[in-house]
Amino acid sequence: MRTDNRLSRILHVLMHLGESDEPITSDMIGQMLGTNPSLVRRTMGGLREAGIVGSTKGHRGGWLLEKPLTEVSLVEVYAALGEPKLFAMGTSNDTPTCLLEQAANAATQNALEAARMTFLKSLSSQKVSDLIDEKREEIATFQKRREKAQSD
């Protein structure tokens, strides 16, 4: 089964938008993610509707943040993506009148719901800016090495 990696990919994009002083085009984002710019526009549309990003048209146009990343929780981004399904696992409906199948379905559904709530709670407790802050020292070291290599 194919995995839905939109959340981590869009968080990646948001962090780049947060670090950029200028809008980033769908083409640039598409190159960064190895995907089609039209797919980028469709995906970013949900973020625009949620007020997380905006877009400008024209020569210097592209995507930009509408809210600081310190105000954007991971759960907001997840919701803006349409709350993609978390699990491939589900319940059976082979014999819906069987009490044993009903018991198995109830146990499975309860466990899945508990896991979903834990996932949402974890996303709610983090802002996108927290992800950058966790890597700030590594980013600075990387940038210094890159600048040094370019000057040599």
Side-chain angles (χ1 to χ4, degrees), residues 136-150:
R136 185 66 65 197
E137 283 185 39
E138 288 178 63
I139 292 168
T141 300
F142 173 80
Q143 288 173 336
K144 285 178 188 174
R145 274 193 233 134
R146 187 173 66 189
E147 288 170 7
K148 185 178 183 326
Q150 289 174 347

Side-chain angles (χ1 to χ4, degrees), residues 11 15 34 38 57 60 77 113-114:
L11 291 171
M15 289 186 282
S38 64
K57 296 182 181 195
R60 293 205 178 273
V77 178
E113 184 59 21

Side-chain angles (χ1 to χ4, degrees), residues 84-126:
K85 188 173 181 174
L86 293 180
F87 306 105
M89 190 179 302
T91 57
S92 171
N93 200 23
D94 296 332
T95 52
T97 59
C98 177
L99 297 178
L100 298 177
E101 182 176 269
Q102 291 173 14
N105 284 346
T108 302
Q109 196 59 43
N110 289 342
L112 290 172
E113 184 59 21
R116 188 179 83 77
M117 295 309 293
T118 299
F119 177 77
L120 293 175
K121 182 178 178 184
S122 177
L123 292 183
S124 296
S125 69
Q126 294 184 61

Side-chain angles (χ1 to χ4, degrees), residues 14-42:
L14 290 174
M15 289 186 282
H16 276 288
L17 288 174
E19 297 291 304
S20 178
D21 294 330
E22 297 186 12
I24 300 178
T25 67
S26 296
D27 286 335
M28 293 167 68
I29 294 170
Q31 287 175 2
M32 179 176 61
L33 299 178
T35 194
N36 188 308
S38 64
L39 180 60
V40 169
R41 285 187 286 277
R42 281 195 307 270

